[in-house]
Amino acid sequence: MKLHFTTTHLDHRIALLAALAITIHIIESAFPSPLPGIKPGLANVVTLFTFIKYGWQTALQVSLLRVIISSLILGTFLSPTFLLSLSGALLSLLSLMLIQLPFYATSLRPYQPSAIGYALVASVTHMSGQFLVAWYFFIPHPGLFKLLPIFITFAVILGIVSGIITQLLINQINSGSTTTAVTQDRQ
Amino acid sequence: MFTIGKVLFKFTDIVILLAACMLTIQLYSIFWLDNNQPGEADTLLVQFADNSPTEYSLSEAQTIRVEGKIGSSLIEIKQGKARFIHSSCRNQFCVFHGWLSVAGDSTACLPNRISISLKAASSDYDAIAGSQ
């Protein structure tokens, strides 16, 4: 029996973006981190870009593929690292959706945040999600909360950085077309 | 709405940025500021071996002689503080520890098997790890 798949353009796009995110994730995991739990999170630039450019459905698939496949490659599948990664990714995507929700209304659409705003939300909630899971499941000690302000500080700084990168990426992609990043975000 | 370099900032971004900064400051003040200062110590607990501790009030200045395993120890209470002033042990760690002034502070003479600690009427701490 011969299996035959028909793939759509959307599938190709998701595969391409996920491959990009996985590559960045794996390269990033090779770098040492100044503090356990703090990573630049460059793989999230891809998720963010996908979210802004193609919407949350695509971003969710890219994000899940990235988390699962890169953990399979790194050998951390179903380990604590994987759970932290998954919870962070899901919570940040969920909050991105919630933040975007009011801006579906046509009257509010011009006020939709740009990449910086989304990146900040994503990065802070990603960090908080990971932190809460780490605290609840792995280190249920109140002393862990002393680290939370440091983590959130780094999340804000790195969120701004990844927002700038995302915005530059969007500018690059959009250059040549007349529409701006802001009006093109929902297709 | 303005741009810095090629990066677009919108009103909503500024709001989110401010919210994130305020959240960070808030977290620092919740988790880092020492909101519960150790309570004012008012009682000295003196314990020999496994016996239950004897309580002394810190309000009256006095010198307490406690018989330990290898000899006697002298403990001085003065101005709400307490210290070992003499011990028959060899290393004199307990004497060199100096004054105990905060609730939860404690020191001990291991050879003589005597330990003292300060207790507050309402202490938030079970114990404080020393940094000396």
Side-chain angles (χ1 to χ4, degrees):
Chain A
M1 198 176 91
K2 194 179 170 192
L3 278 174
H4 185 71
F5 292 105
T6 28
T7 52
T8 62
H9 182 66
L10 183 68
D11 295 334
H12 295 168
R13 179 192 286 158
I14 291 171
L16 181 74
L17 289 166
L20 197 59
I22 292 163
T23 314
I24 295 174
H25 186 113
I26 287 169
I27 292 172
E28 205 181 55
S29 69
F31 286 102
S33 148
L35 223 171
I38 291 175
K39 281 206 304 181
L42 289 177
N44 285 323
V45 169
V46 179
T47 313
L48 204 63
F49 169 77
T50 314
F51 177 81
I52 293 174
K53 200 111 167 79
Y54 302 117
W56 67 267
Q57 294 97 332
T58 317
L60 182 64
Q61 294 178 67
V62 168
S63 188
L64 284 178
L65 279 172
R66 192 258 299 174
V67 169
I68 293 170
I69 296 177
S70 52
S71 75
L72 282 172
I73 293 174
L74 293 169
T76 58
F77 185 58
L78 293 185
S79 74
T81 323
F82 168 77
L83 284 182
L84 291 180
S85 183
L86 183 68
S87 54
L90 286 180
L91 190 70
S92 75
L93 208 54
L94 186 71
S95 48
L96 281 180
M97 285 156 61
L98 287 178
I99 283 285
Q100 202 187 31
L101 214 53
F103 300 102
Y104 277 106
T106 330
S107 56
L108 285 176
R109 187 148 313 173
Y111 299 104
Q112 168 145 302
S114 67
I116 295 265
Y118 281 134
L120 266 170
V121 171
S123 138
V124 169
T125 51
H126 193 276
M127 188 63 93
S128 326
Q130 284 191 333
F131 184 87
L132 289 177
V133 167
W135 171 73
Y136 195 81
F137 289 108
F138 305 127
I139 317 172
H141 188 275
L144 198 63
F145 279 94
K146 290 259 174 194
L147 285 174
L148 186 59
I150 306 179
F151 282 148
I152 297 295
T153 310
F154 275 95
V156 170
I157 296 168
L158 296 169
I160 294 171
V161 171
S162 67
I164 291 172
I165 296 174
T166 311
Q167 185 67 60
L168 293 178
L169 188 66
I170 291 171
N171 290 351
Q172 198 74 33
I173 299 274
N174 285 342
S175 65
S177 80
T178 48
T179 45
T180 67
V182 188
T183 55
Q184 215 188 25
D185 56 318
R186 298 216 60 80
Q187 294 189 333
Chain B
M1 183 158 142
F2 59 97
T3 55
I4 298 174
K6 282 181 181 171
V7 181
L8 181 73
F9 280 87
K10 295 170 75 177
F11 174 69
T12 326
D13 295 329
I14 308 297
V15 173
I16 292 175
L17 182 60
L18 286 179
C21 290
M22 271 160 64
L23 173 76
T24 314
I25 294 166
Q26 199 68 32
L27 286 174
Y28 273 106
S29 70
I30 291 173
F31 294 116
W32 278 30
L33 289 186
D34 209 2
N35 290 328
N36 35 7
Q37 290 294 326
E40 194 79 359
D42 58 5
T43 313
L44 173 72
L45 299 180
V46 179
Q47 187 173 16
F48 168 61
D50 303 337
N51 303 341
S52 55
T54 320
E55 296 198 359
Y56 296 92
S57 168
L58 283 178
S59 50
E60 49 185 300
Q62 55 178 318
T63 308
I64 306 157
R65 177 179 292 273
V66 187
E67 292 304 320
K69 190 162 181 268
I70 57 170
S72 62
S73 294
L74 278 182
I75 298 156
E76 184 186 17
I77 299 177
K78 203 165 132 190
Q79 293 162 357
K81 301 183 290 180
R83 65 169 176 178
F84 276 98
I85 48 174
H86 172 79
S87 178
S88 30
C89 57
R90 193 163 60 92
N91 291 321
Q92 302 282 306
F93 284 139
C94 51
V95 177
F96 291 133
H97 187 111
W99 288 105
L100 310 183
S101 52
V102 185
D105 267 356
S106 67
T107 188
C109 179
L110 293 186
N112 216 4
R113 305 201 60 189
I114 289 172
S115 67
I116 63 173
S117 62
L118 296 193
K119 198 180 84 171
S122 59
S123 174
D124 298 323
Y125 297 94
D126 294 331
I128 291 178
S131 57
Q132 295 183 4

